[in-house]
Amino acid sequence: MTNEAKLGGFVLIGIVALIVSIMLLGDFQFQSKYYLNIMFHDIAGLPSKSRVKIAGVEVGGVKKIALEGNKAKVTVWLSKSIRVHKDAVARIVSTGIIGSKYLELTMGNEELPLLKDGDVVTGIDPVSMDKVINDLMEQLDAFVAPFKGKGMKNIGENLSVTLENLKKVSDTLKNTIAGQEDRINNIVRNVDNFTKDLAEITAENKENIRIAIEEVRNVSQKLNTILVKVQKGEGTIGKLLSDEEMGENLKQTVQEIKETAEQAKAVVKRLNVIHTDWDYMVRYDANQNITRHDFGLRISPKPDKFYFLGVSNVGDSKDSTDTIEEQNTFNFLLGKKYDMAELYVGAIRSKAGFGMKIKPLWKWEPWRRLEVTADVYHLSRKTPVTKANINTGLRVQLAKWLYVGSQVEDIYYQSDINTYANVVIRDDDIAYILGLVGLARP
């Protein structure tokens, strides 16, 4: 092995040691997880390291609490195995009147979409104990206020006056009723006479009432006869309802409407699933003291499938001093994603090849951010060596949009050490345009 290769190995070991130190010194949870942001108007003293529970079972914890505008944003982490849906509800709960506080979360309706990493949930603000006590005191003051006098010394006098007023009202009501006894008796007699007259009218029209009931019975029998004919397929309405051909046509129409709805659903889903990302990488070759630039577009029509179109070592070949790598070579790759790996095949730097990105510690966060990369291309190379061009290295995801790493390029020949930064930016407008193009196909 050459001295350059040994140096590259030591650099890789140093990077791994640095990453391990950062992970051990940081506050990391060794389990697969994702993050949600919950917005409150008031968190009522929720501690920054509180637990997150569902149905009383601990499923995560509070990562940080920050002020965003005039609201409190509580960032929590949940285990990847806990799937929470769009209508999930979050509230701050206490284990007792003076007990510790934690965040209670519901899982939501299973028919709704799942929340993804970084989604926002609106929390239900807790009721402040101070506010409850203050409202109670205000209501008590309002109740006691009528009984207060100057200096709060004449409560008994007010009660005495109130009872005296009630006695006067009672006496007035008694006198009023006593003076209206004759009128009340007349009202009772009139009601009695009315009921007697009603009984006489009913007796005189008894025959008419019987005839009316008989007519209602005849109408009911006629309606029953019509319904029987309809059920047998007799008459215009009966034929319309019992025609087998018309029933089959109606059934076919409903089926076509259902198929159209399914197609519309698939179209909307297709527009929502497709993603596109701009990919830019700047590489520095320490051996040659050269900086190279790669640019491309990654299209993901499905979560587990992607296409990549790009150009490597972009520049003006007339003014180039790069004698190692050819300029303006193209990349066209078809890839497949798995939980722990990403495999792809196609054209790499204008040569047929394949490659992979593997997460050896994919089950644990943040270790899953570490990836081992390898590209194999130019399989039919004859000069200057008869072996394929192989690039391999390590990279770390520092953010959703940023990777940094180092790799040894062309192990069998040049063994050049390259360090690089890779920026990936999501562009939903391109994805939408591609979705519309797909819908326009005949």
Side-chain angles (χ1 to χ4, degrees):
M1 181 180 293
T2 64
N3 292 331
E4 290 82 357
K6 292 180 181 179
L7 178 60
F10 280 116
V11 171
L12 293 179
I13 293 173
I15 292 174
V16 173
L18 177 61
I19 294 170
V20 170
S21 300
I22 292 173
M23 301 308 176
L24 292 177
L25 293 175
D27 182 16
F28 299 106
Q29 301 289 332
F30 295 96
Q31 59 177 307
S32 181
K33 62 185 180 181
Y34 64 103
Y35 295 90
L36 296 178
N37 295 311
I38 304 176
M39 307 302 294
F40 291 97
H41 287 94
D42 185 0
I43 60 173
L46 179 71
S48 60
K49 297 297 181 181
S50 301
R51 300 293 90 189
V52 177
K53 298 182 180 181
I54 295 179
V57 179
E58 186 174 320
V59 296
V62 174
K63 179 67 175 178
K64 67 176 180 179
I65 300 175
L67 185 65
E68 188 170 289
N70 61 344
K71 292 185 178 181
K73 182 173 77 171
V74 181
T75 302
V76 303
W77 64 266
L78 298 176
S79 174
K80 273 288 187 179
S81 60
I82 304 301
R83 313 307 295 163
V84 182
H85 299 266
K86 285 286 187 182
D87 63 339
V89 176
R91 57 169 57 86
I92 297 172
V93 183
S94 178
T95 55
I97 295 178
I98 59 173
S100 61
K101 295 183 179 181
Y102 65 91
L103 200 147
E104 181 73 20
L105 190 64
T106 64
M107 301 189 75
N109 190 345
E110 294 182 356
E111 296 181 357
L112 296 178
L114 292 171
L115 291 173
K116 303 185 293 297
D117 185 45
D119 281 353
V120 177
V121 178
T122 300
I124 298 177
D125 294 326
V127 179
S128 172
M129 185 62 68
D130 293 339
K131 186 176 184 300
V132 173
I133 294 174
N134 185 56
D135 292 344
L136 181 61
M137 293 303 296
E138 288 180 356
Q139 294 179 11
L140 184 59
D141 288 341
F143 175 76
V144 175
F147 300 99
K148 293 182 179 180
K150 294 182 179 179
M152 300 180 62
K153 297 180 179 179
N154 58 346
I155 295 177
E157 181 182 347
N158 289 339
L159 288 174
S160 177
V161 173
T162 301
L163 292 175
E164 182 66 25
N165 291 335
L166 288 175
K167 184 175 181 301
K168 290 180 180 180
V169 172
S170 176
D171 291 341
T172 302
L173 183 61
K174 179 180 178 181
N175 294 333
T176 301
I177 294 175
Q180 300 294 329
E181 288 182 356
D182 293 338
R183 295 185 65 184
I184 293 174
N185 290 333
N186 290 333
I187 291 172
V188 173
R189 282 194 296 271
N190 291 336
V191 172
D192 183 59
N193 293 334
F194 174 76
T195 56
K196 289 180 180 180
D197 294 340
L198 183 62
E200 292 176 0
I201 293 172
T202 303
E204 293 175 358
N205 293 277
K206 185 176 182 180
E207 182 62 24
N208 293 334
I209 294 173
R210 186 189 65 78
I211 294 173
I213 294 174
E214 185 65 26
E215 290 180 352
V216 171
R217 183 183 296 113
N218 292 335
V219 171
S220 175
Q221 290 176 349
K222 291 180 180 179
L223 288 174
N224 186 55
T225 302
I226 293 173
L227 290 176
V228 171
K229 289 184 177 180
V230 169
Q231 291 176 351
K232 292 181 178 180
E234 299 177 358
T236 304
I237 297 177
K239 290 180 179 179
L240 181 64
L241 295 178
S242 61
D243 191 330
E244 294 183 0
E245 183 179 356
M246 181 172 292
E248 185 63 29
N249 291 337
L250 181 61
K251 179 179 179 181
Q252 184 177 355
T253 300
V254 172
Q255 182 64 28
E256 291 176 354
I257 293 174
K258 182 179 179 181
E259 291 176 356
T260 301
E262 291 294 333
Q263 293 175 359
K265 181 179 178 181
V267 167
V268 175
K269 183 177 180 182
R270 184 175 181 181
L271 285 174
N272 291 334
V273 168
I274 189 170
H275 293 299
T276 54
D277 300 277
W278 294 108
D279 190 294
Y280 170 71
M281 179 186 293
V282 55
R283 295 180 284 134
Y284 176 69
D285 188 332
N287 293 354
Q288 305 297 324
N289 193 23
I290 292 176
T291 300
R292 301 183 178 99
H293 304 273
D294 301 342
F295 187 76
L297 177 66
R298 181 186 177 110
I299 304 171
S300 301
K302 296 180 180 179
D304 61 342
K305 182 180 180 181
F306 69 90
Y307 298 93
F308 183 84
L309 304 173
V311 180
S312 293
N313 199 8
V314 178
D316 189 349
S317 58
K318 295 180 180 179
D319 300 329
S320 175
T321 59
D322 192 344
T323 60
I324 302 300
E325 182 179 331
E326 184 180 352
Q327 281 196 313
N328 301 321
T329 56
F330 69 88
N331 302 293
F332 177 75
L333 303 172
L334 170 62
K336 182 76 172 176
K337 293 182 63 176
Y338 301 92
D339 288 336
M340 68 171 296
E342 182 176 293
L343 308 178
Y344 47 88
V345 63
I348 301 176
R349 298 182 186 175
S350 299
K351 306 295 182 182
F354 60 90
M356 66 189 71
K357 294 181 178 68
I358 299 176
K359 299 177 181 179
L361 304 175
W362 65 280
K363 285 190 175 181
W364 301 278
E365 184 72 28
W367 303 100
R368 63 182 299 145
R369 297 172 181 266
L370 177 65
E371 295 183 2
V372 179
T373 64
D375 289 335
V376 181
Y377 59 98
H378 205 174
L379 304 177
S380 60
R381 182 167 63 168
K382 301 299 182 181
T383 57
V385 293
T386 58
K387 295 182 179 180
N389 192 323
I390 300 177
N391 303 337
T392 185
L394 292 174
R395 72 173 189 171
V396 179
Q397 183 181 13
L398 300 182
K400 279 186 175 181
W401 53 272
L402 177 62
Y403 296 83
V404 295
S406 179
Q407 68 181 10
V408 181
E409 297 203 358
D410 199 355
I411 291 177
Y412 288 117
Y413 181 55
Q414 298 292 344
S415 295
D416 286 344
I417 299 173
N418 279 226
T419 56
Y420 63 86
N422 185 193
V423 177
V424 180
I425 300 176
R426 175 64 51 88
D427 190 336
D428 291 331
D429 293 335
I430 298 294
Y432 182 73
I433 293 172
L434 292 176
L436 294 179
V437 171
L439 295 180
R441 293 183 307 176

